[in-house]
Amino acid sequence: DVEEAAQRAGVMGTKNALKKQIQKTHTRCRRCGRTSFHIQKKVCAGCGYPSARLRSYNWSKKMIRRKTRGTGRMRYEKDLPRKFKNGFREQTQAPARKKKTTA
């Protein structure tokens, strides 16, 4: 019971005051991993999940800086400059490099 838990912890005050501390409004978000997913609203306060677009506002430049491209692993994008340099070739052998001649 909530009242017994309050007595054991030695917390003064009403039962409602303790209940407000125990209840959870937010839980873990699937997309961003933060504890910002509002349980009743079913919307994440951090990233806006389940909306397809990521939540961002121009009044918070620092937040945009934290979440922008290049701040994560970039599993696909980090290989693009090299692939572009080689013309996006696939399933072929790289052309042989000419050996340097010493004079």
Side-chain angles (χ1 to χ4, degrees):
D1 191 341
V2 177
E3 200 172 346
E4 290 171 12
Q7 285 174 352
R8 270 187 264 123
V11 177
M12 296 296 289
T14 63
K15 201 190 302 188
N16 283 342
L18 185 72
K19 190 174 181 188
K20 276 187 177 179
Q21 292 171 24
I22 293 172
Q23 278 181 326
K24 286 188 175 179
T25 52
H26 295 86
T27 187
R28 184 110 186 233
C29 173
R30 273 188 204 160
R31 182 159 66 182
C32 65
R34 290 169 62 184
T35 314
S36 304
F37 190 78
H38 198 283
I39 298 167
Q40 286 185 324
K41 292 181 185 176
K42 299 276 191 285
V43 173
C44 179
C47 68
Y49 179 84
S51 172
R53 293 183 185 186
L54 207 61
R55 174 184 175 274
S56 74
Y57 294 101
N58 284 329
W59 48 256
S60 183
K61 298 283 184 193
K62 198 180 277 188
M63 182 265 294
I64 293 172
R65 218 182 304 143
R66 288 189 188 118
K67 294 184 176 183
T68 192
R69 267 178 53 208
T71 57
R73 279 175 62 183
M74 295 211 318
R75 281 167 281 199
Y76 174 74
E77 285 188 51
K78 66 182 169 190
D79 298 328
L80 281 181
R82 176 175 42 83
K83 287 180 178 179
F84 172 76
K85 183 185 76 175
N86 295 317
F88 294 98
R89 62 174 178 227
E90 285 186 340
Q91 297 168 353
T92 56
Q93 193 74 28
R97 293 167 65 185
K98 293 179 182 175
K99 299 203 172 174
K100 292 179 183 176
T101 53
T102 54

